[in-house]
């Protein structure tokens, strides 16, 4: 009973009278216990697995639905909330664009499509091959090329120069 007498019932021996304890058959469940994510009301507050549970996980908003979340937008909960992803997937660099995530290929479009911190890398899926134009005649050396999103200074898209050391030697000269 809970009348204050010294002979109150405490079946599980946790120090709480049966009338105060929500499960007097389990000493780990009582009003002073910590709530954990286990589908049980461990702290006897009438709520199961609330967000302040000691082992609740951090979840990251995935606003664009691409499976990768914004590392800056989090919530804590025992169960994964709708529209959120686990910490391991909190690596989206633009959570407003579903075509930008760590698994998307890099494209030559001025955007960091693959979230690696670099924009328009030479390994982009639509990169072009450009050729060195050492003599600056507008025709490139077919033996000296690089792959890039854009032609660098000193490089051209044409690879028909027969002597890249002589500006007067080129197709049609």
């Amino acid at each position: 009973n809970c009348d204050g007498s010294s002979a109150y019932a405490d079946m599980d021996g946790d120090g709480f009278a049966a009338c105060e304890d929500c499960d007097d058959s389990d000493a780990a469940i009582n009003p002073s216990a910590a709530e954990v994510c286990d589908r049980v009301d461990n702290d006897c507050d009438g709520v199961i697995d609330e967000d302040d549970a000691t082992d609740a996980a951090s979840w990251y908003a995935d606003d664009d639905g691409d499976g990768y979340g914004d590392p800056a937008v989090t919530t804590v909960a025992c169960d994964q909330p709708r529209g959120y992803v686990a910490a391991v997937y909190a690596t989206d660099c633009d959570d407003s664009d579903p075509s930008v995530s760590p698994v998307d290929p890099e494209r030559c479009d001025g955007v960091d499509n693959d979230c690696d911190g670099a924009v328009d890398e030479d390994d982009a899926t639509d990169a072009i091959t450009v050729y060195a134009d050492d003599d600056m005649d507008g025709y490139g050396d077919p033996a000296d090329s690089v792959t890039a999103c854009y032609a660098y200074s000193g490089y051209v898209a044409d690879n028909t120069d027969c002597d890249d050391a002589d500006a007067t030697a080129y197709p049609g000269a």
Side-chain angles (χ1 to χ4, degrees):
N1 67 39
C2 289
D3 64 3
S5 68
S6 60
Y8 65 86
D10 180 12
M11 303 282 288
D12 59 12
D14 62 5
F16 290 91
C19 61
E20 299 171 328
D21 197 333
C22 58
D23 185 350
D24 203 33
S25 65
D26 186 342
I29 298 173
N30 62 67
S32 68
E35 185 68 30
V36 294
C37 299
D38 62 357
R39 307 270 186 252
V40 174
D41 181 13
N42 308 93
D43 58 6
C44 298
D45 66 356
V47 182
I48 295 172
D49 294 348
E50 56 258 45
D51 294 344
D52 67 348
T54 60
D55 60 346
S58 291
W59 302 94
Y60 298 82
D62 179 17
D63 290 338
D64 60 11
D66 63 4
Y68 291 86
D70 184 341
V73 181
T74 66
T75 191
V76 176
C78 286
D79 296 317
Q80 182 176 2
R82 183 181 179 111
Y84 283 78
V85 296
V88 68
Y89 299 108
T91 53
D92 201 338
C93 58
D94 183 354
D95 202 35
S96 66
D97 186 346
S99 68
V100 173
S101 79
V103 296
D104 278 294
E106 186 65 29
R107 294 178 299 282
C108 297
D109 59 1
V111 175
D112 179 14
N113 309 99
D114 58 6
C115 294
D116 68 356
V119 175
D120 295 347
E121 297 132 286
D122 295 342
D123 65 349
T125 58
D126 55 348
I128 58 172
T129 301
V130 291
Y131 304 88
D133 183 16
D134 293 334
D135 60 9
M136 305 301 286
D137 62 2
Y139 297 89
D141 181 350
D144 188 359
S145 66
V146 296
T147 303
C149 280
Y150 311 99
Y152 301 122
S153 178
Y155 284 81
V156 295
D158 183 285
N159 69 345
T160 59
D161 201 334
C162 58
D163 184 355
D164 202 34
D166 183 356
T168 63
Y170 55 87

